[in-house]
Amino acid sequence: MSGRPLRVLTLLARHGIEKYYDAPERLQELYARQLHNIDHKIIIVDNAQTNAWSSAHSASTTAIGGDNSSWELSAWDRGLEHLGTSIKNWDLIGLVTSAFQQSHTAYLDRLSEPLLRQVAGRARALGHI
């Protein structure tokens, strides 16, 4: 994996755009600032929309509907279902909520390409709860 950029897909769970409307842009800024050598794409799973809904935001961001049956957990499940077998095309899958920058955010400063490379390809999880 060291010869090519890491491929990272983020499943961004949200519920409408009233709160944290700019979360996808802030996430892209974080990647551009700290992980600029990463091939990164975002799938927004919007639990305020129906499962049938989808919208292309940009070349690197797509939005799909969720069902909000279990809040962000069902959003991430819906994102994984949407990926299907194409999940194997990604080195890492990030599970993020639209409130990712709201409190206790120092952990975000620790995200780096070497750290992600250590986790990629392993049965490991890296995160903040």
Side-chain angles (χ1 to χ4, degrees), residues 2 11 26 30 36-37 40-41 47 61 64 68-69 71 73-74 79 82 87 98 100-101 106 112 119-121:
S2 60
L11 299 177
R26 289 184 293 125
L30 174 77
H36 51 274
N37 292 322
H40 180 241
K41 301 218 181 321
N47 276 338
T61 305
I64 62 173
N68 205 37
S69 60
W71 301 16
L73 300 176
S74 57
H82 176 78
I87 195 170
S98 57
F100 75 97
Q101 286 187 316
S112 68
V119 176

Side-chain angles (χ1 to χ4, degrees), residues 58-127:
S58 69
S60 62
T61 305
T62 302
I64 62 173
D67 67 19
N68 205 37
S69 60
S70 295
W71 301 16
E72 64 271 9
L73 300 176
S74 57
W76 295 326
D77 280 345
R78 171 73 176 108
L80 293 171
E81 174 189 308
H82 176 78
L83 283 173
T85 60
S86 71
I87 195 170
K88 67 181 187 280
N89 297 330
W90 300 95
D91 297 311
L92 293 167
I93 305 293
L95 305 177
V96 177
T97 70
S98 57
F100 75 97
Q101 286 187 316
Q102 295 312 303
S103 62
H104 309 294
T105 60
Y107 73 97
L108 293 171
D109 296 334
R110 296 182 185 113
L111 287 176
S112 68
E113 183 178 353
L115 179 64
L116 295 184
R117 285 195 180 277
Q118 288 179 359
V119 176
R122 298 193 159 123
R124 302 282 186 266
L126 169 69

